[in-house]
Every structure is written in structure tokens, then in C-alpha cells.
Amino acid sequence: MNQSEALFAEAQKVMPGGVNSPVRAFQRVGGNPIFFKKGKGAYLYDEDDREFVDYVGSWGPMILGHAHPQVISSIKAAADNGLSFGAPTAIETELAKKICSIMPSIEMIRMVNSGTEATMSAIRIARGFTGRDKIVKFEGCYHGHSDSLLVKAGSGALTLGEPDSLGVPSSFAEKTLTLEYNNPDQVREVFSQAGDEIAGIIVEPVAGNMSCIPPEKGFLECLREVCDEYGALLIFDEVMTGFRVALGGAQSLYGIQPDLTTLGKVMGGGMPVGAFGGRRDIMHSVAPLGAVYQAGTLSGNPIAMTAGLETLKLIEAPGFFETISENTQSLMASLQSLADSAGIPFTTNQVGGMFGFFFSDTDRMTNFSQVMSSDTGAFVTFFNTMLEQGISLAPSPFESGFVSAAHGQTEFSKTEAAAKSAFEALQQGV
Ligand SMILES: *Cc1c(COP(=O)(O)O)cnc(C)c1O
């Protein structure tokens, strides 16, 4: 038994599934999850001292690579001054100003501790501000695990949503309509029937939780139009895409201004951070200015704010996103040509430093049902063959991959060599 196996056995005695977030348990890919003890740049090191090129990046935050020296030294210095005061600090305002300047649609912002908290609060604001209860979301998008958002589609677009977890009251789920991603006609239809009951639309402007699915031309534009027409709020959940697909997030890339934006992941530089923000008049409805209640004992934590601010300062460097985007694109091109040579049906998506790959003969993956019909068995073989060769991909075909600024030619060459043998394994039906 190796160290990870021994540690997993112990973990399972005291934590459900041995983990603190389900996907970490490796259930979709079989085998034992790997316990890591250290990260540096593009690499992770496990408890058995094996080295992995990491494309998970803690599910997105680590855009600078692991343990970036400037981020680490800044949080060490901040820690010397104490970990938490539960009172205002200068660093919160500094980070808030930085984010408002990078994302002009955010005129005011509030810091929270996770993406889940950010989206949950944004939904409450949309409801409080509009005086309406219904929310529209899209199949395959993930917005954290709050009750209103753990909802799947009913039998038809216009039927009531159903809980996507035990413990979510159906009376909550009924308020959430789940539509098909990249299907503007369906959005128009739903609004034409129930537009005056809808508080807002929440969407991942590039979907990153059904692997990576970019918006088709006209989709985000349609969302903006119907929200304007019916007085609903457009919420871009940029927890994953903010500071990842471009410095200014998907909203800068596609030129659409949401009313509210939720953030997390990169903005905390690896610390537990989230935020929501947007139009000043809407944010005025948040307590203590307004009557929409929201609070947090550790919100705006000085260590977390420091890690976030330091990260944003580093990724603002000219050319940062051009490089990460080109690197990610060329990695996907290499994987595609290796798959083509091996005769494996395969397709990829990429936006900025975010990617998805699919074992499918569909040319363009645009929605959840296409992703669901891809060959997940082939994914499992590919994943495990890559892992054996020291390449760590997300342990699920429904997650995005991430390239960091620390990934360079050495790491891409290792990845390509491993992928060549993984595609060959698939070709031979291993
Ligand atoms: C990760 C994620 C969340 C949830 O964030 P947590 O910090 O895990 O609570 C919400 N929305 C999107 C788009 C995400 O990718």
C-alpha cells in the first residue's frame, strides 16, 4: 500500500468519502485519490514523492502556478500582523478598487469566503431588488451548492425545476428554471411566458463545469436583451472565468455587461475567497445600506485579501493572458493531432487559460447533452494512463482543465509524450 492509499483509508473513517469535496474522491475514474504534500510552479508532489504536472490548479485558482514566491512572501508578512480582526482593513478596499478597475461593470463589491456564498448572495439580491422569486439557470452550469441553485430541469423547459440533491425542498427548486445552454430560443420562449416573474438569469459566461463550453455567438447577447426587456438582472457567474479566460473575465472577452458578477477562485490566489458586485444602485440594496441581508465573520480576511491582491497585480502584467492563452491553445492543438493520428474521436475547447477535451465525434461541443453523450469510458482510460505517467488532469470528464503561467515547453512536451501513449492505449483498446 502506498502513502496515498494508507491516508485515504484513514480519511474515510472520519470524513464522508474521505474528502471535503466530492470530486476529489476519484469516483468517476476509479482508483485511489492522490494525497499531495507540496506544490511548486506547474508541479505537485504526492506523499510518495512522485512528481505530477498539474492541470487542475486547485480547480482554477492557481493561475500563477503553485507557491508563487511573491504571493507566499506577501501572505507571510500579512500573517505576522494577525490573522483576522473582524473589522475593516485597508487591504479590503485596495482589492475592491483593483477589481472594480479591472471589471468596470462592478461599481461596488462585497467580499465573501467562497464562490457558493457569492452566487447564493447574488441570487438573494436579484430577488430582493426586483421583488420577484424565479431564477433562470442553465443545464450543466454549476453555481455552488446553495438550495436555489442545486436544481435540475423538470421534464420540459417550462415545467418546474426539481431538486438536484436530497435535502433541497421542492418548493425552492420550483422557483428555479433550468434551460439548455446556448439555446437563445428557449430563453426567449420562457421569458415570453413568465418574464415578469423572473428575478434574474445566472449563467457561466463560459461554462466550466461541464468540461469547457464557450458561449455560441448571440447567446450572451440574447440574455442581456431579455433581461433588459423584462426588468430581470443578468448575473455572470465568473467564479471560474474571472481573471482566467481574460484579465477582465468573460464579460471583457465577449463585450457584455452583466448587472451582477460573482467571483472566486483566482481572485483569492488559493485562499478561500469569493465576491459579488455590480451596478451601484443594485449593490445599494445590500445591508447595511439596504434590506438584503448578507454577512460573514471572516469575510475580507486580511491574509486572503493579500493573496488575492498580490495575484491580481501579477496577472495584470502586459502579455500575461496572451501567453497563457496561446500556450493553452497550442496544447489543445497537440492533443487533437495526437488523437487524430491514433484515430480516436476527440475534440477540444479552449478559452484563455481554460480548456476542455471530449472523446466524441461531435465537432463542436455546445451543451450539456452533447457532453453527456461523449465517451466517458475512453476518458477514464486516458485519465489513468496520463496519471501513471505523471500528468494530473481533473478526475472527471465534466471538469475544465487549467494551464498556469508556470507551465512551459518542458511541461507541455512531457504532457504530449504521455498523451501519445494514452491515445495509443485507447487505440489498442487497453
Ligand atoms: C467553483 C465554482 C463555484 C463555487 O465556488 P466554491 O468556492 O467552490 O463554493 C460557483 N460557480 C462557478 C462557476 C464555479 O466554477
Side-chain angles (χ1 to χ4, degrees):
M1 200 189 286
N2 67 26
Q3 289 296 322
S4 287
E5 285 162 351
L7 288 164
F8 192 46
E10 287 306 302
Q12 284 171 287
K13 294 178 190 164
V14 286
M15 293 181 283
V19 292
N20 285 308
S21 197
V23 70
R24 299 179 194 172
F26 269 42
Q27 284 190 343
R28 285 201 185 271
V29 291
N32 196 95
I34 297 181
F35 281 57
F36 294 110
K37 63 178 178 191
K38 183 181 150 87
K40 186 70 202 153
Y43 295 91
L44 283 176
Y45 300 87
D46 76 358
E47 293 281 355
D48 295 287
D49 293 315
R50 292 182 303 172
E51 180 183 86
F52 297 86
V53 178
D54 178 33
Y55 289 102
V56 183
S58 189
W59 305 93
M62 311 317 299
I63 196 164
L64 294 168
H66 295 280
H68 189 284
Q70 261 166 273
V71 177
I72 300 298
S73 67
S74 71
I75 64 165
K76 281 183 177 164
D80 282 340
N81 291 328
L83 296 180
S84 179
F85 316 127
T89 58
I91 183 96
E92 295 169 298
T93 310
E94 211 183 322
L95 181 57
K97 280 186 169 169
K98 173 69 74 192
I99 293 173
C100 293
S101 76
I102 293 174
M103 292 186 176
S105 77
I106 303 182
E107 295 174 316
M108 294 186 105
I109 189 166
R110 173 152 295 170
M111 307 298 176
V112 294
N113 308 289
S114 69
T116 292
E117 251 188 276
T119 54
M120 179 186 77
S121 306
I123 294 292
R124 183 175 303 145
I125 295 168
R127 287 173 165 159
F129 185 78
T130 59
R132 303 170 180 175
D133 284 347
K134 289 204 168 117
I135 294 292
V136 166
K137 69 186 244 318
F138 298 94
E139 215 177 4
C141 288
Y142 175 69
H143 304 291
H145 60 88
S146 71
D147 285 347
S148 294
L149 294 167
L150 272 188
V151 178
K152 60 185 176 197
S155 49
L158 284 162
T159 54
L160 302 176
E162 289 171 12
D164 205 10
S165 162
L166 283 180
V168 174
S170 49
S171 57
F172 282 29
E174 283 167 8
K175 306 282 189 219
T176 304
L177 297 161
T178 304
L179 311 184
E180 188 176 61
Y181 198 77
N182 276 327
N183 185 341
D185 294 343
Q186 207 181 51
V187 175
R188 289 206 182 87
E189 187 191 338
V190 162
F191 269 82
S192 74
Q193 305 212 7
D196 56 357
E197 298 167 51
I198 297 170
I201 299 178
I202 185 165
V203 65
E204 287 184 73
V206 173
N209 287 285
M210 47 172 156
S211 189
C212 175
I213 305 283
E216 296 276 276
K217 211 171 167 46
F219 178 59
L220 298 176
E221 288 81 354
C222 160
L223 304 185
R224 183 65 274 173
E225 279 164 27
V226 294
C227 282
D228 288 341
E229 187 177 341
Y230 290 91
L233 300 189
L234 180 58
I235 305 167
F236 273 9
D237 181 357
E238 298 228 42
V239 169
M240 186 181 287
T241 54
F243 318 110
R244 166 57 70 180
V245 297
L247 179 64
Q251 52 195 272
S252 75
L253 209 53
Y254 299 102
I256 308 284
Q257 283 235 344
D259 301 301
L260 290 173
T261 299
T262 55
L263 297 168
K265 299 196 169 113
V266 173
M267 78 156 281
M271 295 295 286
V273 180
F276 59 90
R279 263 167 50 193
R280 188 175 302 277
D281 59 327
I282 299 172
M283 292 301 286
H284 274 223
S285 62
V286 179
L289 279 185
V292 176
Y293 193 70
Q294 192 283 329
T297 301
L298 294 170
S299 294
N301 174 272
I303 314 302
M305 297 293 101
T306 301
L309 185 62
E310 208 56 41
T311 299
L312 296 195
K313 283 181 180 166
L314 287 160
I315 69 175
E316 269 184 325
F320 183 93
F321 280 92
E322 283 79 357
T323 305
I324 211 167
S325 190
E326 279 162 23
N327 285 346
T328 311
Q329 196 171 13
S330 87
L331 175 65
M332 288 303 105
S334 307
L335 294 188
Q336 185 69 60
S337 82
L338 290 166
D340 293 347
S341 310
I344 305 292
F346 187 79
T347 186
T348 68
N349 282 334
Q350 172 265 334
V351 186
M354 187 172 154
F355 66 79
F357 59 87
F358 310 86
F359 291 89
S360 169
D361 47 23
T362 307
D363 282 346
R364 195 147 101 229
M365 303 298 275
T366 61
N367 65 40
F368 187 61
S369 45
Q370 287 175 333
V371 176
M372 287 302 280
S373 65
S374 67
D375 183 351
T376 52
F379 174 87
V380 170
T381 303
F382 185 79
F383 168 87
N384 283 308
T385 316
M386 294 297 275
L387 194 66
E388 282 159 21
Q389 299 175 91
I391 310 295
S392 173
L393 296 162
S396 161
F398 308 114
E399 303 288 349
S400 288
F402 302 100
V403 169
S404 84
H407 288 73
Q409 205 42 60
T410 312
E411 291 72 38
F412 297 130
S413 300
K414 282 186 191 178
T415 308
E416 285 154 23
K420 187 164 189 291
S421 57
F423 286 123
E424 280 162 8
L426 280 168
Q427 188 183 32
Q428 286 149 24
V430 181

